Amino acid sequence: MKTFKNLTTYVFILILSVIYSCSNDDSTTEQPVEPTKTIYEEIAENQSLTSFTLALDKLVSIKNILNDSTELATSVNIFTVFAPTNNAFDTFLLNNGYDGVEAIDMDNPDDSAFLWNYIHNHITQLQTTSGMMEEEGSGYLTTFTDDSISMFFN
């Protein structure tokens, strides 16, 4: 009888061990991490920013900076883009003699400089959130231009 009791105990411990080892999977399978989108990708996916996207496509150098997802680029280049909506951008272009982004001739130095300045005046080289701006109430942000133009916000 004592042997049966010991055997029962061993079987019970064996069953618990099997159940525990099956339910506790030591090998964790990591879920694939969805890559973080670049600033350019975020802008390009927004249907209300298609005119701004077309402008960035014409300015390959700034597009490449905003579309660089390498670890070095994301650790060094921190930008905030205040991208105007299609309506705002298209109205601005019309008021300046352009029928749209497509009408800007990048082979013409005046057109190229016009677009370069306009786009760069909408980019700051620091991380700015709406919460930070609300907290400040109003102030100035330095744009990503050679002249470091100040952008007023309120």
Side-chain angles (χ1 to χ4, degrees):
M1 189 72 170
K2 192 173 192 176
T3 306
F4 181 72
K5 187 175 182 182
N6 285 340
L7 182 62
T8 305
T9 304
Y10 289 125
V11 169
F12 180 75
I13 291 172
L14 180 65
I15 290 173
L16 284 177
S17 298
V18 169
I19 290 172
Y20 179 77
S21 66
C22 289
S23 66
N24 186 8
D25 188 5
D26 291 337
S27 64
T28 58
T29 55
E30 292 184 26
Q31 296 295 325
V33 177
E34 197 169 311
T36 304
K37 292 179 187 169
T38 65
I39 295 172
Y40 175 80
E41 290 170 332
E42 289 285 345
I43 292 168
E45 288 180 5
N46 188 325
Q47 292 301 308
S48 66
L49 302 176
T50 55
S51 293
F52 196 79
T53 302
L54 288 171
L56 289 174
D57 290 343
K58 286 181 174 263
L59 295 169
V60 177
S61 60
I62 190 63
K63 174 188 173 182
N64 290 341
I65 291 170
L66 298 177
N67 201 29
D68 192 345
S69 63
T70 62
E71 188 174 332
L72 176 62
T74 55
S75 67
V76 173
N77 297 325
I78 299 174
F79 299 100
T80 299
V81 177
F82 295 91
T85 62
N86 293 333
N87 188 34
F89 193 15
D90 294 342
T91 300
F92 173 79
L93 291 175
L94 282 172
N95 290 337
N96 284 278
Y98 298 97
D99 290 332
V101 177
E102 298 84 7
I104 298 173
D105 179 7
M106 295 306 287
D107 292 329
N108 178 330
D110 291 336
D111 285 4
S112 178
F114 169 82
L115 186 60
W116 190 93
N117 285 324
Y118 182 77
I119 296 300
H120 282 78
N121 285 334
H122 285 80
I123 300 172
T124 63
Q125 197 168 5
L126 52 101
Q127 186 174 14
T128 308
T129 65
S130 58
M132 292 166 57
M133 293 173 75
E134 287 174 7
E135 193 174 296
E136 289 286 324
S138 65
Y140 292 92
L141 298 170
T142 303
T143 61
F144 183 56
T145 61
D146 292 337
D147 300 328
S148 297
I149 296 171
S150 293
M151 177 188 343
F152 179 74
F153 68 90
N154 187 358

